[in-house]
Amino acid sequence: MRWRGTSLPTDQLALFRQDPHGRALARGVTGAATCVSCHGAHDVRPSYDPASRTHATRVAPLCGECHRESTRRDGTHGTPVPDWQRSAHGEVFARGETTTAPTCTGCHGRHGELADNGGAAAACGRCHVEEASLFARSPHAAAWQRLGFGGCAACHGNHDVPPASDVLLGVGGRSACARCHAIGQRAWDLASRLSARRDEARARAARALRLVREAREAGIEPPGASLAVEEVREAESRLRVASHALDEAALDDAVRAVVAPSARAEDAARAAMARHRDERRTWLWMIPVLGVLLALLLVRIRRLDRVTAEGRDG
């Protein structure tokens, strides 16, 4: 609903009443945020105005006025705003990429508009669509629902989301799998197999990219290498996405998608380097021949010079 003649929505108060702030206020929590807490009183500006307290670039400091420390007695939410500022999202936002990184309202909503859509727990899937879709078909999905886990946050964190890393899948000390599963469990063995296959594909890709780089540093451009390298990098990014399904068949497909262009890039680089070595050998063999020809030429020139000098003297 919008006010007649304007673009201002008029349902925001109703939405506010269903979000955590509005519900806290209804319970009599006097310190809960109200409209004025965020928008101001007489100095209200539209959110698209950079000077507005609710502008995208100022939302985190605004929320941090109340949420710098945990709002839960057990401290399970950590320090929301400082944690977000150190996160992968916060780092992207700090670089000025405000249209691609979520700030507080990106996950929690401005008022209560996300309450019927899973709230913050479902926020990741609004940007990371394919990862969320694969996870929904994974063995974890039903367990997460049964245990009441907040979707992606169980492995990736909530406010303190680190940059995507391969260490999360596997059985190493920093893996997410090892937080819940132990040696001897089927899930442990699955995580070990999945991470091993992924690592093999990564190693194959790294070797191919290294060979192409070495060829280029030597002044050689392997035919077809540019396209193969692009395919390798795209397939590597999708390899990490495929791991969310926790399915061996799906990961095998992703691994093959990395290995195939890696093999082409590696073969192209090796062939180009071999041709380069053959050409160098050819020139090395020609150097003595050229030296002999040059010596004969010099002898011939000297003889001509001597004949010419004798002719002048005679």
Side-chain angles (χ1 to χ4, degrees):
M1 180 178 180
R2 296 180 183 276
W3 187 260
R4 185 173 59 187
T6 75
S7 61
L8 181 66
T10 59
D11 58 349
Q12 300 305 289
L13 179 58
L15 291 174
F16 168 78
R17 286 172 176 162
Q18 69 181 18
D19 83 358
H21 295 141
R23 293 198 304 272
L25 199 65
R27 293 196 307 270
V29 179
T30 56
T34 66
C35 308
V36 173
S37 304
C38 297
H39 293 278
H42 300 103
D43 58 340
V44 178
R45 293 174 178 270
S47 294
Y48 58 78
D49 186 338
S52 171
R53 286 166 53 84
T54 57
H55 186 262
T57 58
R58 304 181 68 184
V59 165
L62 173 64
C63 296
E65 292 176 7
C66 297
H67 298 286
R68 180 157 291 277
E69 302 297 332
S70 176
T71 54
R72 293 193 176 184
R73 293 182 180 179
D74 60 5
T76 53
H77 270 197
T79 54
V81 172
D83 288 347
W84 173 83
Q85 289 171 332
R86 292 189 297 268
S87 74
H89 295 144
E91 290 177 1
V92 173
F93 203 86
R95 293 198 298 267
E97 301 175 36
T98 56
T99 59
T100 57
T103 184
C104 309
T105 53
C107 296
H108 295 277
R110 294 170 299 175
H111 299 117
E113 69 271 20
L114 302 181
D116 296 330
N117 296 311
C124 307
R126 289 192 284 273
C127 293
H128 303 283
V129 178
E130 189 170 0
E131 290 90 336
S133 176
L134 289 171
F135 176 81
R137 300 195 298 270
S138 77
H140 279 158
W144 258 227
Q145 187 173 11
R146 185 174 66 253
L147 296 170
F149 286 177
C152 311
C155 294
H156 292 277
N158 43 38
H159 299 106
D160 55 342
V161 178
S165 171
D166 286 337
V167 300
L168 287 175
L169 174 66
V171 292
R174 292 187 293 160
S175 74
C177 308
R179 298 174 197 165
C180 299
H181 303 293
I183 297 174
Q185 293 182 339
R186 286 189 302 171
W188 178 280
D189 294 338
L190 174 62
S192 181
R193 291 196 302 272
L194 292 176
S195 61
R197 292 177 188 177
R198 177 208 59 207
D199 292 345
E200 289 172 5
R202 294 277 192 208
R204 185 66 184 274
R207 185 173 64 192
L209 296 177
R210 175 178 56 79
L211 288 171
V212 171
R213 183 176 65 253
E214 289 175 355
R216 287 172 172 170
E217 288 173 351
I220 307 163
E221 179 57 37
S226 293
L227 178 58
V229 166
E230 288 181 11
E231 291 181 18
V232 169
R233 288 174 174 159
E234 173 64 22
E236 275 198 290
S237 68
R238 296 194 61 77
L239 180 62
R240 184 171 288 158
V241 172
S243 66
H244 291 81
L246 297 174
D247 178 79
E248 291 186 82
L251 191 70
D252 282 343
D253 289 341
V255 165
R256 284 191 288 271
V258 173
V259 170
S262 296
R264 293 203 310 274
E266 186 173 343
D267 290 345
R270 290 188 187 281
M273 292 291 284
R275 285 194 300 272
H276 181 64
R277 286 193 296 271
D278 290 343
E279 290 171 359
R280 291 183 64 184
R281 289 194 191 101
T282 301
W283 281 106
L284 287 173
W285 279 108
M286 291 183 66
I287 288 174
V289 176
L290 292 173
V292 171
L293 292 174
L294 181 60
L296 292 173
L297 180 62
L298 290 173
V299 170
R300 181 64 176 170
I301 291 173
R302 287 177 181 175
R303 285 179 179 175
L304 290 173
D305 289 343
R306 188 163 53 249
V307 169
T308 302
E310 289 172 355
R312 284 199 303 267
D313 294 340

